[in-house]
Amino acid sequence: TTFTRVPCGRTHRERLGFSGSFAGRGRLRRDFPKMPLLINGKRVDVSELAREPLYSYPELEERAKALRNQTAQTVGPRGLLYVHQREFAATTPKDGSVSVLGSDDATTCHLVVLRHTGSGATCLTHCDGSDTDKEVLLITSAVRVLSPNTEYGRLELHLVGGFSDDRHLSQKLTNQLLRAFDRLQDNIHLVTFCVTEMNDRQEKGSHYPYIYGVAANVKTGEIFHATFPDKGPEKDLRSASILTGAQMVNIYDSRKEQLCIGPYFWMPFPHVDFWLEQDDQYILQNLSTSPQAEPPHFISHIRATLLCLKEHPFPDKTLFPSRKPWVYVKNEDGLWERVASEQI
């Protein structure tokens, strides 16, 4: 989804009159020794990369150009794990259910792929800037956990998304991500940098992203331009959680090869009837950070999300009374199928 993409960390729920907080606030240590972000094995000046990526590192421009020139591949559900905004998922080439991680509908959001070349462990996330420092720690930890006792290889980073938007939200998120990765305890090798200016195209005086979505082939490590007709189960419910202010969450257990959704907790969404009564243009202008660049299905998706919030003002009572997640596994047709609670 794209309707709460606000890299400054304040979401549109404040405009909606909503101020609740629902996700846990566990603190992660941030006193790691600083290690560099690297390009071709050389230390990166993060401020320089943020200001002048085209001129400072021409090899990044070449890679970005190659990615922009790709025709978007349509990825079907077999072997796919789709990641929504403010979610992340990590797995390895040994996974028998998931071979591709993917996400799209990113306008000012950034899609982040981190891969360890030794273990093949890969993590993909859809960042909107809600808490970038913490999110970078989470996805790096996810790859580390799946790469135990690895004697060779390195961590490679791919950043895709954003464009030259009027509010400079994309650039702000780019800067946040660069600084966060530059402060990690590991050497991070920046391989793909197709963000903001390098992902921008103009049409009739307006700016748009070249690339809205990418996929990562977990088996081969390939990163490619992609679209996803099937976005996995319960997409409206997952988006409802975002609109109410949820933090970044891991959605996949690679050991059990299970997709886990929820449990979600939120208070009744304020003024939901008001928002459902508004016309499409009003919703677009007020619930998107980049109205002119949204995909065609944005309006229908946000209406379905608002309807979900209206129908389930207390999801902990109506949807998750057991306080346990809904668990899904891939069936023989490659589709996610919910597992009965007694089978978990």
Side-chain angles (χ1 to χ4, degrees):
T1 60
T2 56
F3 45 82
T4 54
R5 188 184 295 103
V6 189
C8 63
R10 292 171 60 84
T11 68
H12 284 298
R13 62 197 177 99
E14 295 171 8
R15 183 182 300 168
L16 297 169
F18 189 89
S19 59
S21 178
F22 308 93
R25 296 197 177 268
R27 298 183 63 82
L28 296 174
R29 288 185 61 195
R30 303 190 185 194
D31 56 346
F32 297 130
K34 182 177 178 181
M35 297 295 282
L37 191 65
L38 304 168
I39 298 175
N40 293 336
K42 297 180 180 179
R43 179 75 166 92
V44 174
D45 183 335
V46 170
S47 60
E48 185 179 64
L49 181 61
R51 289 195 310 267
E52 301 288 355
L54 300 176
Y55 309 109
S56 305
Y57 301 95
E59 59 271 33
L60 290 182
E61 167 60 12
E62 289 302 312
R63 293 180 192 133
K65 183 178 179 181
L67 189 61
R68 292 195 305 265
N69 287 340
Q70 289 182 6
T71 300
Q73 298 183 40
T74 301
V75 179
R78 183 175 294 275
L80 170 66
L81 174 54
Y82 185 88
V83 177
H84 286 261
Q85 185 177 337
R86 233 176 279 175
E87 295 179 345
F88 72 93
T91 191
T92 72
K94 297 178 181 179
D95 195 317
S97 299
V98 172
S99 57
V100 175
L101 300 173
S103 188
D104 62 0
D105 290 352
T107 56
T108 57
C109 280
H110 288 20
L111 307 176
V112 180
V113 179
L114 186 67
R115 180 175 185 268
H116 192 284
T117 60
S119 67
T122 304
C123 182
L124 183 146
T125 186
H126 187 135
C127 289
D128 62 8
S130 55
D131 192 348
T132 303
D133 286 344
K134 181 177 178 180
E135 292 164 2
V136 166
L137 289 174
L138 287 171
I139 63 178
T140 308
S141 176
V143 174
R144 279 203 209 105
V145 167
L146 295 177
S147 306
N149 305 317
T150 303
E151 297 180 358
Y152 65 95
R154 65 183 195 176
L155 288 169
E156 293 188 344
L157 176 63
H158 308 268
L159 300 177
V160 182
F163 67 110
S164 298
D165 62 282
D166 293 341
R167 298 168 62 189
H168 308 292
L169 298 177
S170 300
Q171 185 63 64
K172 187 170 185 177
L173 180 52
T174 296
N175 296 345
Q176 288 177 353
L177 285 166
L178 290 174
R179 288 194 299 267
F181 278 106
D182 197 46
R183 286 195 291 259
L184 292 177
Q185 65 174 337
D186 301 285
N187 287 337
I188 306 292
H189 296 261
L190 182 59
V191 176
T192 304
F193 190 65
C194 187
V195 293
T196 308
E197 178 187 346
M198 298 174 80
N199 192 43
D200 182 76
R201 67 179 178 87
Q202 292 190 55
E203 182 179 325
K204 298 180 180 178
S206 296
H207 292 264
Y208 303 89
Y210 269 104
I211 297 172
Y212 285 83
V214 295
N217 187 315
V218 179
K219 310 295 186 185
T220 66
E222 179 190 8
I223 309 298
F224 57 95
H225 185 190
T227 60
F228 309 91
D230 187 318
K231 301 185 189 302
E234 306 299 337
K235 63 179 183 179
D236 299 328
L237 177 63
R238 292 155 78 178
S239 296
S241 175
I242 299 166
L243 194 57
T244 58
Q247 296 181 350
M248 180 74 75
V249 62
N250 183 8
I251 61 167
Y252 191 61
D253 184 334
S254 61
R255 183 176 60 86
K256 297 180 179 178
E257 299 184 5
Q258 294 177 341
L259 169 63
C260 302
I261 296 177
Y264 298 130
F265 309 94
W266 60 70
M267 298 297 288
F269 196 77
H271 315 302
V272 65
D273 289 323
F274 166 82
W275 287 102
L276 284 168
E277 291 168 359
Q278 302 311 303
D279 61 31
D280 291 354
Q281 190 62 26
Y282 189 89
I283 287 177
L284 182 64
Q285 291 299 321
N286 286 275
L287 296 183
S288 169
T289 60
S290 50
Q292 83 285 359
E294 293 294 355
H297 55 265
F298 174 84
I299 297 295
S300 60
H301 176 53
I302 196 170
R303 286 193 182 280
T305 300
L306 289 166
L307 187 59
C308 178
L309 289 167
K310 176 181 172 66
E311 293 176 346
H312 299 285
F314 297 101
D316 53 318
K317 292 181 172 57
T318 58
L319 300 175
F320 301 97
S322 67
R323 302 294 179 97
K324 294 180 179 180
W326 293 353
V327 174
Y328 297 77
V329 297
K330 287 283 189 179
N331 62 21
E332 293 180 356
D333 297 321
L335 301 175
W336 291 110
E337 188 173 89
R338 189 172 171 189
V339 178
S341 57
E342 59 268 17
Q343 296 178 262
I344 299 174

